Amino acid sequence: MFEIAPFIPFFIAAALGLFLRGWMRAVLFIAVPVIGLANLWLLGAGGAGIEFGHYAILDFNLLLFKADKLSLLFGYLFHIAALISVIYALHVRDTLQQVASMLYAGSALGAVFAGDLLTLFIFWELLALTSVFLVWARRSGRAYVAGLRYFTLHILSGLLLLGGIIFYGQTHGTLEFGQIGLDGNVLDNPASWMIFLAFGIKCAFPFFHNWLTDAYPESTPTGTVFLSAFTTKVAVYALARAYPGTELLVYIGATMACFPIFYAVIENDLRRVLAYSLINQLGFMVVGIGIGTSLAINGAVAHAFNDVIFKGLLFMSMGAVLHVTGKINGSELGGLYKKMPKTTVLCIIGAASISAFPLFSGFVSKSMVMSAAIKNGYDWVWLILLFASAGVFHHAGIKIPYFAFFAHDAKLPAREPPVNMLIAMSIAAALCLIIGIYPQALYSLLPYQMSYTPYDVTHVLTQLQLLFFSALAFVWLNLRHLYPPELPSVNLDVEWIYRRLVPDALRGLFNRLFALDNRLRSAAVGGVARLVEGVASHHRADGIMARNWLTGSMVAGVVLLLGIYLILGWL
C-alpha cells in the first residue's frame, strides 16, 4: 500500500497555488481534500496501529505518522472541513489567503497524526504561523493588531510546549505522544503541567480564551470558517490523547460551558457571538475528556466532529451576510430573510443543530457527554451543562438568526451570496441532518465501542422541554423589553487586562520615564554648557590659559606630577 502522510498533499497544493491561477487553482484545492480523504480511508482500512515515517534526532526515535481510531476520526473531520471551506472560498482571489488556508489545514493534519511530541511541536507552531495570515488577510488596522495578539499567545503556547517536551524527554527518556496525565504538583512534574497549559491555551481555557474572541471576528469572511475548524479541535484531540480522565478538566470545561453565555447575549458583533459560542461548545468536549470514560470520550470527540460542521455552517452564514451587506453587527442587520431566504434556512439548520434539537447533529453528541456526567456522579456538572444548553439556544439558536434575518427591517441592499458559498453551506447543512437522523454513521467512527441510543423518551422529552421553555423565556424577555438590546459597542472580558489595563499602566510608566529622561538630559546639557563656558573663560585673551609660562615653571610642574605618580605607585 502506498503510504503518504496526510499533510503532504496540502503542503504541495499550497506550493503549487503560488503559481496557479483561476480555475486551475480551484480544481487543485478541491481535489486535494477529496483525494486525501480517500487516501486516509484506505490507510484506516488497514486497522488500528498504522505508523510510518520513522526518523531520529539525537537519541530520540520520532514518528511522522501514527494512526488509531481517535486520530483517524479527526483526520476524516479535517478533510471534510477543508473541502467545505475551500468550496466556500472559491470566489476569493487572494493568493495569500488561499495558500495560508491550505498550509493551515495541512498543519492540523500533521499535528493529529504526529507520533511523538517533537513532531507535534513542529506542526503546533505551523498552526500558529499559517493561521495568523487568515486574520491579517482582512488588511485592516484592527485585524493587524488582533493578529499580533493572537500570534503572541500562540507563540507562548508553543514555548510552553517546547519547555514541557524538554523536561518530559529528560525524565521519561522518550518523546512518544500518548497518555501524560497530571501526576503530582507543578514542582514535582513540571513537564506534564507545561504541556497541559500549552494545550489549554489553544483550547481557549478561561483567562486564555480571548485570542479566539479577539481574532476570529476580525478575520475575513472565509478565513473565519477555516479558523473555526482546526486550531481548537487539534487542542481537543491533544487533550483526549494525553489527559483523558483528568478531573481538573471537568471543572475547567464546566466553566467554559457557562461563562461565555453571558458575554454572547450582550455582544453586538454576531461573529463574536459565535466565537463565544465556540468556547461554550468546547466546554462540553473538555468535560467529556475530564470524565474520561468510554462514553464521555466518545461524546467529546463526537461533539467536536459535529461542532466543526454546525459551527462552520453558522460562521459561513454570517460570513455570507458580511460579504453581501458589509455589516455584521446585530444592531445594523435585520429583515434579510426577504432577500436571502436560502441563507436564512441554512442558518436556521445550523442554529437547530447547535441547540441540540432532535433530528439534528448536536442532539446525538451533546447528550452523550451529559449522560456520562450523570452516570459518573457529576450531578452538579450536569445541571451546569443543562443551563449552558439553554444559554446556547438563546445566543446561537435564537439570537443569531433572529437579529440577522428577522427583528427590525434594516432595509439593507442584499442578495443571495455567490453559488459556491451556498453549495458549501448546503453540504454542511446536509451533514447536520444526516448525522442527526442516522447517528450510527458517526458512532461507527468513534474510538470506543458502545451501545448508546440518543432517541429514547427521556432524552427527547428533556431536550424538547428545555428548548421550549428557553424559547418562551426569550419571547417574554423580548416583549417586556428586558432582553439585552443590540448596541454598537465592544465588550471586553479578561482581555481588558492586556488591551486596557496593561497598556494604560505601561503608558503611564513610560510617560514618567520619558519625563525623567528629559529632566536628566536637560541637567546634563546644562552641566556640559557650564563646563564649556568655564573652559572657554580660561582661553580668552585675559584667561589663565592665555598667559605666557616660564620654562622653569613648566619643568617644576612636570617634576611635581612625576613625584606624585612615584609615591602612588609605591603605596
Side-chain angles (χ1 to χ4, degrees):
M1 181 173 60
F2 183 67
E3 296 173 339
I4 180 170
F7 73 90
I8 292 177
F10 285 85
F11 281 17
I12 293 174
L16 294 175
L18 291 171
F19 307 101
L20 299 177
R21 295 291 183 273
W23 67 268
M24 295 181 66
R25 180 194 287 173
V27 170
L28 174 66
F29 282 8
I30 291 175
V32 165
V34 173
I35 295 173
L37 183 61
N39 171 61
L40 187 61
W41 189 266
L42 292 175
L43 288 173
I50 313 157
E51 58 182 55
F52 57 83
H54 294 270
Y55 64 104
I57 293 181
L58 299 177
D59 295 329
F60 296 105
N61 294 317
L62 308 180
L63 185 59
L64 195 63
F65 180 90
K66 183 177 181 180
D68 57 13
K69 294 200 72 173
L70 178 62
S71 56
L72 285 172
L73 172 73
F74 281 88
Y76 299 144
L77 171 62
F78 288 164
H79 279 90
I80 295 170
L83 176 61
I84 294 173
S85 301
V86 165
I87 294 173
Y88 184 76
L90 283 178
H91 63 283
V92 174
R93 296 293 181 265
D94 183 354
T95 300
L96 170 67
Q97 202 176 158
Q98 291 178 304
V99 170
S101 63
M102 295 302 285
L103 291 173
Y104 179 41
S107 300
L109 286 165
V112 163
F113 291 106
D116 62 272
L117 290 169
L118 187 58
T119 304
L120 174 70
F121 167 75
I122 294 171
F123 289 108
W124 198 262
E125 291 297 86
L126 285 175
L127 275 170
L129 183 61
T130 54
S131 59
V132 72
F133 286 100
L134 297 177
V135 181
W136 287 336
R138 197 172 183 184
R139 296 174 174 85
S140 68
R142 290 180 58 177
Y144 176 71
V145 175
L148 286 178
R149 291 191 290 262
Y150 171 93
F151 193 56
T152 300
L153 276 173
H154 282 270
I155 290 300
L156 173 62
S157 172
L159 291 174
L160 286 169
L161 179 58
L162 180 59
I165 290 171
I166 293 171
F167 282 121
Y168 190 84
Q170 290 176 341
T171 56
H172 292 77
T174 179
L175 294 181
E176 183 180 357
F177 184 27
Q179 173 82 29
I180 296 177
L182 287 179
D183 299 327
N185 57 40
V186 178
L187 295 179
D188 295 334
N189 193 7
S192 62
W193 283 93
M194 291 175 72
I195 295 172
F196 180 79
L197 185 56
F199 292 168
I201 291 175
K202 260 188 168 56
C203 198
F205 279 7
F207 301 106
F208 299 101
H209 64 277
N210 287 114
W211 61 265
L212 196 158
T213 57
D214 184 18
Y216 282 22
E218 299 302 332
S219 181
T220 63
T222 55
T224 307
V225 178
F226 279 96
L227 290 171
S228 68
F230 298 113
T231 296
T232 53
K233 302 313 178 293
V234 170
V236 168
Y237 163 79
L239 288 172
R241 172 72 65 193
Y243 297 95
T246 301
E247 190 172 16
L248 178 60
L249 287 174
V250 177
Y251 311 127
I252 293 174
T255 305
M256 292 173 67
C258 195
F259 85 86
I261 294 170
F262 301 99
Y263 291 100
V265 167
I266 64 173
E267 183 56 55
N268 189 29
D269 185 324
L270 296 184
R271 290 203 300 174
R272 194 171 167 92
V273 172
L274 289 176
Y276 276 113
S277 178
L278 179 53
I279 299 171
N280 162 270
Q281 296 300 299
L282 288 169
F284 284 85
M285 304 170 208
V286 172
V287 167
I289 295 169
I291 294 172
T293 63
S294 58
L295 176 61
I297 296 292
N298 278 345
V301 299
H303 201 55
F305 192 103
N306 288 333
D307 182 72
V308 169
I309 306 301
F310 60 63
K311 189 58 62 61
L313 176 55
L314 289 169
F315 270 116
M316 283 189 285
S317 62
M318 291 302 100
V321 169
L322 178 61
H323 176 78
V324 170
T325 66
K327 301 181 184 300
I328 197 59
N329 289 338
S331 59
E332 301 172 324
L333 296 173
L336 294 178
Y337 75 95
K338 302 173 185 176
K339 301 171 184 177
M340 304 175 68
K342 296 176 184 176
T343 305
T344 303
V345 171
L346 293 169
C347 179
I348 290 173
I349 292 175
S353 298
I354 195 173
S355 302
F357 269 88
L359 302 181
F360 291 87
S361 58
F363 178 80
V364 303
S365 55
K366 187 180 292 185
S367 59
M368 294 168 66
V369 176
M370 298 182 69
S371 296
I374 282 289
K375 289 181 179 179
N376 289 274
Y378 291 102
D379 296 356
W380 64 271
V381 173
W382 180 83
L383 289 173
I384 289 176
L385 296 182
L386 194 67
F387 168 77
S389 298
V392 170
F393 184 44
H394 264 265
H395 69 254
I398 298 178
K399 177 174 180 173
I400 292 292
Y402 178 74
F403 285 106
F405 299 103
F406 302 99
H408 64 283
D409 190 350
K411 302 187 184 304
L412 294 171
R415 62 191 182 284
E416 291 288 5
V419 174
N420 62 288
M421 283 184 159
L422 290 173
I423 292 174
M425 289 189 285
S426 299
I427 294 172
L431 288 173
C432 289
L433 290 168
I434 291 171
I435 294 173
I437 296 170
Y438 182 60
Q440 289 302 323
L442 175 60
Y443 290 172
S444 63
L445 302 176
L446 297 178
Y448 299 104
Q449 294 291 332
M450 64 172 190
S451 56
Y452 176 78
T453 304
Y455 290 108
D456 61 26
V457 176
T458 302
H459 287 155
V460 173
L461 288 181
T462 300
Q463 190 63 18
L464 287 177
Q465 290 174 31
L466 177 70
L467 295 171
F468 173 77
F469 285 107
S470 297
L472 189 63
F474 176 84
V475 172
W476 183 82
L477 290 171
N478 210 33
L479 291 176
R480 301 285 295 180
H481 303 289
L482 296 175
Y483 195 84
E486 299 300 293
L487 300 175
S489 60
V490 176
N491 301 302
L492 302 181
D493 53 276
V494 176
E495 63 187 314
W496 176 83
I497 295 173
Y498 62 82
R499 290 187 64 176
R500 293 288 175 83
L501 179 64
V502 173
D504 289 347
L506 291 177
R507 193 177 298 111
L509 174 63
F510 283 117
N511 286 338
R512 292 183 177 86
L513 290 176
F514 289 148
L516 177 62
D517 178 69
N518 287 332
R519 288 196 293 270
L520 292 175
R521 286 173 183 269
S522 299
V525 169
V528 171
R530 288 190 294 272
L531 176 63
V532 170
E533 178 63 27
V535 173
S537 67
H538 294 296
H539 285 77
R540 292 195 295 268
D542 58 344
I544 190 172
M545 299 302 291
R547 299 174 185 174
N548 291 325
W549 290 74
L550 296 176
T551 303
S553 299
M554 293 293 293
V555 171
V558 171
V559 170
L560 177 62
L561 290 174
L562 180 60
I564 293 172
Y565 176 76
L566 291 173
I567 292 171
L568 292 174
W570 179 75
L571 292 175

Short mmCIF file of all heavy atoms in Angstrom, two decimals, residues 135 178 199 231 337 358 363 373 376 404 503 524 532 537 564:
data_model
loop_
_atom_site.label_atom_id
_atom_site.label_comp_id
_atom_site.label_asym_id
_atom_site.label_seq_id
_atom_site.Cartn_x
_atom_site.Cartn_y
_atom_site.Cartn_z
N VAL A 135 -6.08 36.04 9.57
CA VAL A 135 -6.56 37.23 10.27
C VAL A 135 -6.04 38.48 9.56
O VAL A 135 -6.80 39.41 9.26
CB VAL A 135 -6.10 37.22 11.74
CG1 VAL A 135 -6.63 38.45 12.48
CG2 VAL A 135 -6.56 35.95 12.45
N GLY A 178 1.52 10.11 23.95
CA GLY A 178 0.46 9.25 24.47
C GLY A 178 -0.06 9.80 25.78
O GLY A 178 -0.08 11.00 25.99
N PHE A 199 -1.59 23.07 25.76
CA PHE A 199 -2.83 22.59 25.13
C PHE A 199 -4.01 23.48 25.53
O PHE A 199 -4.89 23.77 24.72
CB PHE A 199 -3.11 21.15 25.55
CG PHE A 199 -2.13 20.13 25.01
CD1 PHE A 199 -2.12 18.83 25.50
CD2 PHE A 199 -1.21 20.47 24.03
CE1 PHE A 199 -1.24 17.89 25.01
CE2 PHE A 199 -0.29 19.54 23.54
CZ PHE A 199 -0.31 18.24 24.04
N THR A 231 -7.83 24.87 14.81
CA THR A 231 -6.95 25.07 15.96
C THR A 231 -7.50 24.48 17.24
O THR A 231 -6.84 23.67 17.91
CB THR A 231 -6.68 26.58 16.17
OG1 THR A 231 -5.98 27.08 15.03
CG2 THR A 231 -5.83 26.81 17.41
N TYR A 337 -34.28 38.04 5.65
CA TYR A 337 -34.92 36.80 5.20
C TYR A 337 -35.66 37.00 3.88
O TYR A 337 -35.86 36.06 3.11
CB TYR A 337 -35.87 36.26 6.27
CG TYR A 337 -37.16 37.02 6.40
CD1 TYR A 337 -38.32 36.60 5.74
CD2 TYR A 337 -37.24 38.18 7.17
CE1 TYR A 337 -39.50 37.30 5.84
CE2 TYR A 337 -38.42 38.88 7.29
CZ TYR A 337 -39.54 38.45 6.63
OH TYR A 337 -40.72 39.15 6.73
N PRO A 358 -33.77 17.56 18.50
CA PRO A 358 -33.84 16.19 17.98
C PRO A 358 -33.87 16.18 16.45
O PRO A 358 -34.46 17.08 15.84
CB PRO A 358 -35.14 15.65 18.58
CG PRO A 358 -35.34 16.45 19.83
CD PRO A 358 -34.82 17.83 19.51
N PHE A 363 -27.80 17.06 18.88
CA PHE A 363 -28.55 16.26 19.84
C PHE A 363 -27.88 14.92 20.11
O PHE A 363 -27.88 14.43 21.24
CB PHE A 363 -29.98 16.04 19.33
CG PHE A 363 -30.82 15.19 20.23
CD1 PHE A 363 -31.41 15.72 21.37
CD2 PHE A 363 -31.02 13.84 19.95
CE1 PHE A 363 -32.18 14.93 22.21
CE2 PHE A 363 -31.79 13.04 20.79
CZ PHE A 363 -32.37 13.60 21.92
N ALA A 373 -21.91 12.46 32.47
CA ALA A 373 -21.80 13.23 33.72
C ALA A 373 -22.73 12.65 34.79
O ALA A 373 -22.34 12.51 35.96
CB ALA A 373 -22.12 14.70 33.45
N ASN A 376 -21.55 9.19 36.16
CA ASN A 376 -20.32 9.18 36.95
C ASN A 376 -20.40 10.10 38.17
O ASN A 376 -19.37 10.47 38.74
CB ASN A 376 -19.15 9.56 36.07
CG ASN A 376 -18.79 8.49 35.07
OD1 ASN A 376 -18.04 7.57 35.36
ND2 ASN A 376 -19.36 8.59 33.87
N ALA A 404 -30.10 38.72 12.72
CA ALA A 404 -29.53 38.84 11.38
C ALA A 404 -30.60 38.88 10.30
O ALA A 404 -30.52 39.70 9.37
CB ALA A 404 -28.56 37.68 11.12
N PRO A 503 -1.73 48.23 28.84
CA PRO A 503 -1.29 49.37 28.02
C PRO A 503 -1.36 50.70 28.76
O PRO A 503 -0.45 51.53 28.65
CB PRO A 503 -2.25 49.34 26.82
CG PRO A 503 -2.69 47.93 26.73
CD PRO A 503 -2.78 47.46 28.14
N ALA A 524 22.02 67.37 32.23
CA ALA A 524 23.31 67.04 31.64
C ALA A 524 23.76 68.10 30.64
O ALA A 524 24.93 68.51 30.62
CB ALA A 524 23.23 65.68 30.96
N VAL A 532 31.77 73.91 29.47
CA VAL A 532 32.35 74.54 28.27
C VAL A 532 32.58 76.03 28.50
O VAL A 532 33.61 76.60 28.12
CB VAL A 532 31.42 74.30 27.06
CG1 VAL A 532 31.88 75.14 25.87
CG2 VAL A 532 31.39 72.82 26.70
N SER A 537 36.27 80.32 29.38
CA SER A 537 36.69 81.54 30.10
C SER A 537 38.19 81.57 30.34
O SER A 537 38.78 82.64 30.47
CB SER A 537 35.94 81.63 31.43
OG SER A 537 36.34 80.57 32.29
N ILE A 564 54.39 62.74 42.41
CA ILE A 564 53.10 62.21 42.88
C ILE A 564 52.85 60.81 42.31
O ILE A 564 52.39 59.90 43.01
CB ILE A 564 51.97 63.18 42.50
CG1 ILE A 564 52.12 64.50 43.27
CG2 ILE A 564 50.60 62.56 42.78
CD1 ILE A 564 51.17 65.59 42.80
#
